[in-house]
Amino acid sequence: MEFRSLGKFDDGGAGVFWSTQCGPSPWEIHPAGDELLHVLEGEVDVEVLPADGGEACMATVRSGCFLIGPRGCWHRQYIRKKSSEFYVTPGQTLHSQSEDPRLNV
């Protein structure tokens, strides 16, 4: 997995991400705002954990499609095949390797 920053956006940034390896990314959360993801190439499954403790939801995002990562919700990606993405993230990004990071708050 590799990231390339393209510029600052509020306290966060915009950039590109790409991976040739399949599998899950670490959990991440953005307390300050929604994150925009645009899959440029490939296909990913994005799992979102609702902040209210509800059941996780999963969405498949294919090349050319967008996804909004909701503010305050932990989410991670399962890379299905070689992928690249453009992202805009306002504010800080926190990461977790926990099975359910909502339990560690």
Side-chain angles (χ1 to χ4, degrees):
M1 293 184 196
E2 293 191 46
F3 290 85
R4 181 74 38 106
S5 176
L6 298 176
K8 291 290 186 187
F9 179 74
D10 289 340
D11 290 330
V16 291
F17 158 85
W18 63 95
S19 179
T20 57
Q21 299 178 354
C22 295
S25 68
W27 289 104
E28 61 178 51
I29 191 170
H30 312 289
D34 297 338
E35 177 180 49
L36 172 71
L37 298 175
H38 179 201
V39 176
L40 303 169
E41 172 188 17
E43 186 172 287
V44 298
D45 290 330
V46 179
E47 182 178 16
V48 179
L49 298 175
D52 66 5
E55 291 291 315
C57 58
M58 186 82 76
T60 299
V61 187
R62 293 176 176 84
S63 179
C65 295
F66 291 84
L67 180 121
I68 301 294
R71 177 173 99 175
C73 291
W74 288 97
H75 58 281
R76 67 177 167 187
Q77 298 183 38
Y78 293 87
I79 308 297
R80 297 171 59 105
K81 55 185 171 182
K82 178 182 172 184
S83 298
S84 60
E85 301 173 27
F86 171 73
Y87 64 88
V88 179
T89 307
Q92 181 182 27
T93 299
L94 305 174
H95 294 94
S96 175
Q97 296 286 349
S98 297
E99 187 173 323
D100 186 341
R102 297 174 297 183
L103 304 175
N104 299 329
V105 177

